[in-house]
């Protein structure tokens, strides 16, 4: 059974989330503080983690950052903090999604399902052919091993950053809007929440490009979206 960890200091919200996940066949566990949540996340075998930001002890941002450095698991932030900067920070620390309170429990479950499905497809893809590398100038991408190299130096990307890069690299010279990328990579309608895409593209550029302000791989097509050039 799919196991979900909910790190939320509000007992009502935590139980609401747990009940809705249970209705859809998921096993959910709750932790009400940051320290305990981080320890439980790192020691338990969870398929998805849901984090509040404002937690006793350690913030959800710090928990997200630490988890992402050690585990490859979907992380959803659910928070009353809805400023654009909070979303950018969350995605910057490696979150896969950001849901603002008050939220629809059904939407939360739908987003969780989408992320779980994409991670499962991604893991299955890693078992594909041993040499399916994409080579674009000095960039080498190996979807099977989830490894990226620039000038033979390995670059480390999060799962979602890697998905964005692989999708665009396998669809070169095509322009994708932020809404299209959100739907393709996250499997959901954007509903205007496209800061996710902007942050992930920015982080990919910072890691791949010698000069992120003058990108050679993922270009911005003003007023239209992004294009991977070969």
């Amino acid at each position: 059974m799919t196991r979900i960890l909910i790190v939320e200091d509000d007992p009502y919200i935590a139980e609401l989330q747990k009940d809705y996940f249970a209705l859809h066949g998921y096993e959910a566990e709750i932790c009400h503080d940051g320290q305990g949540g981080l320890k439980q996340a790192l020691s338990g075998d969870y398929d998805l983690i849901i984090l509040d930001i404002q937690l006793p002890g350690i913030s959800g941002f710090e928990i997200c950052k630490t988890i992402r450095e050690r585990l490859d698991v979907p992380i959803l932030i659910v928070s009353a903090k809805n400023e654009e900067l909070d979303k950018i920070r969350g995605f910057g620390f490696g979150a896969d999604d950001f849901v603002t309170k008050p939220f629809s429990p059904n939407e939360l479950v739908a987003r969780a399902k989408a992320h779980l499905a994409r991670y499962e497809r991604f893991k299955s893809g890693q078992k594909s052919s041993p040499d399916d590398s994409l080579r674009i100038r000095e960039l080498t991408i190996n979807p099977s091993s989830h490894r990226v190299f620039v000038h033979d130096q390995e670059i480390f990307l999060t799962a979602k950053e890697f998905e964005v890069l692989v999708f665009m690299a396998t669809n070169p010279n095509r322009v994708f809007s932020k809404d299209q990328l959100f739907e393709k990579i996250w499997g959901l309608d954007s509903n205007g929440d496209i800061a996710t895409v902007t942050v992930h593209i920015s982080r990919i550029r910072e890691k791949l490009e010698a000069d992120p302000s003058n990108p050679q791989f993922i270009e911005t097509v003003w007023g239209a979206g992004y294009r991977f050039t070969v």
Side-chain angles (χ1 to χ4, degrees):
M1 180 180 287
T2 300
R3 299 181 68 225
I4 296 172
L5 175 62
I6 299 168
V7 187
E8 167 64 63
D9 65 336
D10 186 317
Y12 172 77
I13 294 176
E15 291 295 336
L16 177 66
Q17 293 177 5
K18 180 178 179 179
D19 289 345
Y20 266 83
F21 280 116
L23 285 173
H24 289 80
Y26 298 113
E27 177 186 343
E29 298 178 20
I30 297 171
C31 187
H32 294 297
D33 67 280
Q35 293 275 10
L38 177 58
K39 182 178 180 180
Q40 199 166 333
L42 296 178
S43 62
D45 184 18
Y46 296 102
D47 300 288
L48 181 140
I49 297 171
I50 295 178
L51 290 174
D52 189 13
I53 292 177
Q54 296 175 308
L55 293 164
I58 304 176
S59 76
F61 288 138
E62 287 300 314
I63 296 173
C64 181
K65 179 176 181 290
T66 303
I67 293 172
R68 183 55 71 221
E69 289 170 349
R70 305 185 192 183
L71 301 175
D72 193 8
V73 60
I75 301 174
L76 278 65
I77 290 178
V78 180
S79 175
K81 294 172 70 66
N82 62 358
E83 296 294 328
E84 194 77 2
L85 180 60
D86 296 315
K87 294 182 179 182
I88 291 173
R89 288 186 67 194
F91 294 131
F93 285 129
D96 294 282
D97 207 345
F98 195 112
V99 179
T100 303
K101 298 176 183 176
F103 60 89
S104 160
N106 286 322
E107 180 187 355
L108 178 63
V109 172
R111 286 177 176 264
K113 283 184 176 180
H115 289 295
L116 286 165
R118 295 196 70 83
Y119 265 71
E120 186 59 37
R121 288 196 295 271
F122 176 75
K123 289 179 180 178
S124 299
Q126 289 183 321
K127 301 174 184 177
S128 60
S129 60
D131 187 13
D132 56 353
S133 296
L134 303 170
R135 296 178 176 85
I136 304 97
R137 301 189 299 280
E138 66 270 24
L139 174 65
T140 301
I141 308 168
N142 190 295
S144 297
S145 62
H146 190 164
R147 301 181 76 183
V148 178
F149 298 86
V150 176
H151 291 298
D152 296 324
Q153 179 179 352
E154 186 165 8
I155 307 298
F156 296 95
L157 303 178
T158 67
K160 274 293 181 286
E161 290 167 0
F162 188 80
E163 281 191 68
V164 173
L165 179 62
V166 170
F167 175 77
M168 298 202 71
T170 52
N171 293 277
N173 301 319
R174 290 180 57 187
V175 178
F176 293 94
S177 70
K178 295 176 183 179
D179 290 302
Q180 287 174 322
L181 287 172
F182 191 91
E183 182 179 353
K184 294 288 184 182
I185 305 302
W186 280 264
L188 300 161
D189 292 334
S190 68
N191 294 321
D193 188 13
I194 53 177
T196 312
V197 176
T198 304
V199 173
H200 279 75
I201 294 292
S202 176
R203 288 178 62 81
I204 292 169
R205 286 172 171 169
E206 289 174 1
K207 295 177 180 182
L208 298 187
E209 304 280 1
D211 180 7
S213 64
N214 183 29
Q216 302 302 305
F217 297 110
I218 301 179
E219 296 181 340
T220 298
V221 181
W222 296 107
Y226 298 103
R227 172 177 58 212
F228 189 95
T229 59
V230 297

